[in-house]
Amino acid sequence: MTALFNFQSLLLVIILLVCTSTYIHQMFPAILDRNKDGLMGIFWKCARIGERLSPYVSICCIFMAFSMLVGN
């Protein structure tokens, strides 16, 4: 089953995208800052979400980790 049809997997992919984009922006800010438009702009926006909502994103990561443990 793909992540598009499973809601929990879709949320996991989105959270991982936000966390990865934020990490890349912290390590190499020039890569995402020069690509604010187009397809690469999605990663810049995800990095902004991760930077500004980091407590909520970390709570979501913890919640998803526990839900994966309980679900299996």
Side-chain angles (χ1 to χ4, degrees), residues 10-26:
L10 178 65
L11 286 178
L12 183 65
V13 168
I14 291 171
I15 289 173
L16 286 174
L17 179 68
V18 168
C19 292
T20 305
S21 297
T22 305
Y23 179 76
I24 290 172
H25 189 259
Q26 290 295 322

Side-chain angles (χ1 to χ4, degrees), residues 1-43:
M1 187 175 280
T2 64
L4 296 175
F5 298 117
N6 188 350
F7 185 68
Q8 186 175 6
S9 297
L10 178 65
L11 286 178
L12 183 65
V13 168
I14 291 171
I15 289 173
L16 286 174
L17 179 68
V18 168
C19 292
T20 305
S21 297
T22 305
Y23 179 76
I24 290 172
H25 189 259
Q26 290 295 322
M27 300 305 283
F28 309 107
I31 292 174
L32 293 180
D33 285 341
R34 67 177 162 208
N35 296 318
K36 293 182 182 177
D37 296 327
L39 186 62
M40 291 295 288
I42 294 171
F43 299 110

Side-chain angles (χ1 to χ4, degrees), residues 32-71:
L32 293 180
D33 285 341
R34 67 177 162 208
N35 296 318
K36 293 182 182 177
D37 296 327
L39 186 62
M40 291 295 288
I42 294 171
F43 299 110
W44 181 79
K45 292 173 187 171
C46 288
R48 288 290 167 220
I49 291 170
E51 290 171 355
R52 295 182 180 178
L53 299 175
S54 61
Y56 300 110
V57 172
S58 63
I59 289 170
C60 288
C61 288
I62 292 169
F63 179 73
M64 290 297 286
F66 282 123
S67 68
M68 290 290 180
L69 286 175
V70 173

